């Protein structure tokens, strides 16, 4: 998946999970970022910072990885338990680190 495709999937999923819950402005306010920031992310003009990505997932009540699942693919739901919460936390950290590395590589190419 290319960087543009990744931004597209993220954009589509944020819009999909946000629909009926938040406007861009309301989501931005909840996250403590500008509405322009959310508009830029949904418009595929920028990629969110790692901490913003985690807060977006939390606000939309989804796991971070679900924001990167292409449409038409059913997300895996994890049953609530202490063990699964530990696994979920580990997955979240791993996904965030993967995204951080990918962004780092992209920034290195730009500079």
């Amino acid at each position: 998946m290319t960087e543009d495709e990744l931004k597209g999937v993220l954009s589509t999923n944020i819009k999909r999970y946000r629909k009926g819950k938040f406007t861009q402005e309301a989501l931005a306010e909840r996250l403590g970022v500008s509405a322009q920031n959310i508009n830029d992310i949904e418009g595929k003009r920028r990629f969110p910072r790692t901490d913003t990505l985690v807060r977006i997932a939390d606000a939309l009540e989804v796991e971070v990885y679900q924001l990167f699942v292409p449409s038409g693919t059913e997300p895996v739901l994890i049953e609530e338990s202490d063990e699964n919460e530990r696994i979920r936390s580990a997955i979240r950290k791993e996904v965030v680190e993967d995204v951080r590395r990918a962004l780092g590589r992209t920034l290195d190419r730009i500079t």
Side-chain angles (χ1 to χ4, degrees), residues 81-92:
S81 72
D82 289 343
E83 179 61 22
N84 286 343
E85 183 57 38
R86 283 190 286 279
I87 293 168
R88 180 181 289 122
S89 179
I91 290 170
R92 176 182 283 181

Side-chain angles (χ1 to χ4, degrees), residues 37-49:
N37 187 320
I38 299 300
N39 186 272
D40 286 347
I41 293 166
E42 288 189 4
K44 301 177 254 180
R45 291 179 295 280
R46 73 179 317 181
F47 205 83
R49 292 183 357 202

Side-chain angles (χ1 to χ4, degrees), residues 6-16 41-44:
L6 186 63
K7 284 180 182 177
V9 169
L10 178 63
S11 169
T12 298
N13 285 332
I14 290 174
K15 290 174 194 175
R16 179 167 54 108
I41 293 166
E42 288 189 4
K44 301 177 254 180

